[in-house]
Amino acid sequence: MKDKLIMLGWIIGLLLLISVLWVVTQPLQSMYLLRTVNSVLSNNNDSRRVSAYIQPKTGNTNLFGYWYSIRASQDKMFVFAAFQDGILIPLGAFVSHDCIVKEIIPLSAHAVQVFDSFPKSILNIYTARIEEAAHDVTAALTEAGGR
């Protein structure tokens, strides 16, 4: 019994440490992702650039991903990952100021290769969820008087 409690304590401690590290490093992760997304856009000769990480409201668990504002525009970009054949595929969704997904683009070489075979029904589900979350992000930005 004592050994089981010690093992349980180790597991809980590790999970707590991982959780704290995840929360504390969120700004750093978002900055690196911003630079990577801008690099991908630049390599694809796309003139759009993401400019700032949009901090989500606390307790908002709509989607797992990062919201960014787009330079010189009221539009936003949501960067997320989807699964295709057991592999994570990084994608970016450009969302207009009226919360409509205009375009979803692949953000890696592998994602470009498999994006055409990605089921449209799955993309439609992601699109609906992103548009729903965009309303929350827009409302939070309006409340804060932000972008």
Side-chain angles (χ1 to χ4, degrees):
M1 184 68 161
K2 184 179 177 183
D3 291 338
K4 290 181 183 179
L5 287 175
I6 291 172
M7 180 63 91
L8 181 64
W10 270 100
I11 292 171
I12 290 172
L14 286 174
L15 289 176
L16 187 62
L17 178 67
I18 290 168
S19 299
V20 168
L21 286 175
W22 179 260
V23 170
V24 171
T25 61
Q26 206 67 17
L28 185 63
Q29 293 173 25
S30 65
M31 183 198 60
Y32 281 128
L33 187 58
L34 180 139
R35 289 175 41 193
T36 302
V37 169
N38 280 337
S39 175
V40 168
L41 292 173
S42 176
N43 291 341
N44 291 335
N45 297 322
D46 193 331
S47 62
R48 298 173 287 196
R49 297 291 181 269
V50 292
S51 61
Y53 171 61
I54 300 172
Q55 189 85 13
K57 286 190 330 187
T58 333
N60 189 358
T61 58
N62 280 337
L63 290 172
F64 184 70
Y66 293 88
W67 285 98
Y68 293 97
S69 59
I70 297 178
R71 187 177 301 149
S73 174
Q74 291 182 339
D75 295 348
K76 295 174 281 304
M77 182 176 193
F78 182 67
V79 178
F80 64 103
F83 275 103
Q84 174 70 10
D85 298 328
I87 299 172
L88 277 175
I89 300 171
L91 301 171
F94 288 100
V95 181
S96 67
H97 68 281
D98 54 349
C99 303
I100 304 294
V101 173
K102 295 195 290 190
E103 178 183 14
I104 296 179
I105 61 168
L107 295 175
S108 73
H110 178 70
V112 169
Q113 292 174 351
V114 299
F115 188 70
D116 290 334
S117 66
F118 203 80
K120 297 299 179 205
S121 60
I122 301 296
L123 283 178
N124 291 338
I125 291 170
Y126 276 109
T127 300
R129 293 180 69 199
I130 291 168
E131 288 174 351
E132 182 181 327
H135 287 289
D136 295 339
V137 169
T138 302
L141 287 175
T142 304
E143 284 176 16
R147 299 164 211 138

